[in-house]
Amino acid sequence: DALHIIGGGSQDNYLNRLTAERLEIPVFAGPIEATALGNLLAQMIADGIFSSVAEARNAVFASFDVKQV
């Protein structure tokens, strides 16, 4: 349905646009801090702060600058 580009590579707008055009699907770029966030979210899920991976992903999408290309 869509491609999510995360981490430092998500800052390359030209590559993100070309990827979206070639794949003909939406591309979401960001967050840049993906590794740190992934570690934090795994701990928050384990502690019961988030009840699911989907809930954690929604929080990231709402809290960080994720751009649709």
Side-chain angles (χ1 to χ4, degrees), residues 5-62:
I5 300 175
I6 59 173
S10 67
Q11 298 178 84
D12 190 335
N13 295 325
Y14 179 65
L15 179 59
N16 295 340
R17 185 174 51 81
L18 290 178
T19 302
E21 290 173 3
R22 179 69 175 163
L23 295 178
E24 298 180 350
I25 59 173
V27 169
F28 294 92
I32 298 167
E33 312 83 4
T35 301
L37 283 173
N39 289 331
L40 178 62
L41 292 174
Q43 293 176 48
M44 293 174 83
I45 292 168
D47 284 344
I49 296 168
F50 292 117
S51 61
S52 67
V53 172
E55 184 182 1
R57 286 179 180 162
N58 288 335
V60 169
F61 195 80

